[in-house]
Amino acid sequence: TVPIAAEVLKKAGVYDKTKLCGVTTLDVCRANTFVAENQGWNPADVDVTVIGGHAGITILPLFSQVPNASFSDEDLEKLTVRTQFGGDEVVKAKAGAGSATLSMAYAGYLFTENVLKALRGEEGIVQCAYVESELTDATYFASPCRFDKNGVAEVLPFGELSAYEQQWFGKMMPDLQKQIQKGEDFVNN
């Protein structure tokens, strides 16, 4: 929806890339929870960087960057896929009668709380968000972002990827670019 919103705002002449961001926090919360379960940690003590987009394989949790974590290849694959398709898991558990509304509300709360802290002048507010970005060939990309009183102050690099993550990155980018194009075309055609 970020590419759609951006195109609508551009047509209205009011687009500001520092003010428009997609909330990647839900994917971060899922990744944090799954790592904590796997490692026997408290989820509040985990902060997984999640990059890419917000649909299926475009969601890429960077588990290799979690300090002091150790994963088997099998666990890494399960955790990655579970993070990518966690919403589907909830819908299935609810037998199609709902979605992850409480998780979405919690993620929205966390994201908004951090944005409000930055708006009040608190420094050092960094959280993953889906924003206009020059980090990759994709026009919009989720990565860590530093927020300040004006919104997105800086799109931060996401660091080095493991060989496993590089494979997912290669699969992710074509899908992400197609999704972005589809959103832009929706508004412009």
Side-chain angles (χ1 to χ4, degrees):
T1 56
V2 168
I4 293 171
E7 292 304 304
V8 169
L9 293 169
K10 287 174 186 177
K11 281 188 170 199
V14 295
Y15 176 69
D16 180 348
K17 69 180 184 178
T18 68
K19 307 291 188 211
L20 179 63
C21 38
V23 181
T24 305
T25 313
L26 179 57
D27 301 320
V28 171
C29 288
R30 286 183 177 138
N32 291 347
T33 299
F34 302 151
V35 166
E37 285 176 0
N38 180 272
Q39 300 290 303
W41 297 344
N42 181 337
D45 298 330
V46 182
D47 187 20
V48 178
T49 296
V50 177
I51 64 170
H54 180 65
I57 68 165
T58 69
I59 300 166
L60 181 55
L62 303 183
F63 295 126
S64 69
Q65 297 180 9
V66 178
N68 304 312
S70 178
F71 306 103
S72 70
D73 291 346
E74 181 181 340
D75 283 347
L76 195 56
E77 180 71 14
K78 286 180 181 176
L79 291 169
T80 299
V81 172
R82 193 171 182 207
T83 301
Q84 293 169 330
F85 297 97
D88 297 349
E89 183 178 322
V90 173
V91 171
K92 185 177 178 182
K94 290 184 169 187
S99 63
T101 51
L102 288 177
S103 300
M104 288 185 275
Y106 177 67
Y109 157 76
L110 290 176
F111 184 84
T112 303
E113 182 178 48
N114 281 327
V115 169
L116 291 173
K117 286 178 184 178
L119 287 172
R120 287 192 303 262
E122 190 172 321
E123 295 184 9
I125 303 297
V126 175
Q127 59 186 343
C128 291
Y130 184 66
V131 297
E132 183 177 323
S133 173
E134 296 177 0
L135 294 178
T136 69
D137 291 338
T139 309
Y140 304 96
F141 193 81
S143 70
C145 296
R146 183 176 59 80
F147 287 77
D148 68 11
K149 63 183 178 176
N150 297 308
V152 178
E154 183 179 11
V155 178
L156 301 170
F158 48 83
E160 192 172 327
L161 303 181
S162 70
Y164 175 80
E165 292 160 351
Q166 287 173 1
Q167 289 176 348
W168 274 108
F169 190 88
K171 295 176 196 175
M172 166 185 72
M173 288 304 293
D175 273 18
L176 181 58
Q177 289 170 313
K178 285 178 193 170
Q179 290 174 11
I180 292 167
Q181 189 63 55
K182 185 176 181 181
E184 290 172 343
D185 289 349
F186 178 79
V187 176
N188 295 316
N189 296 330

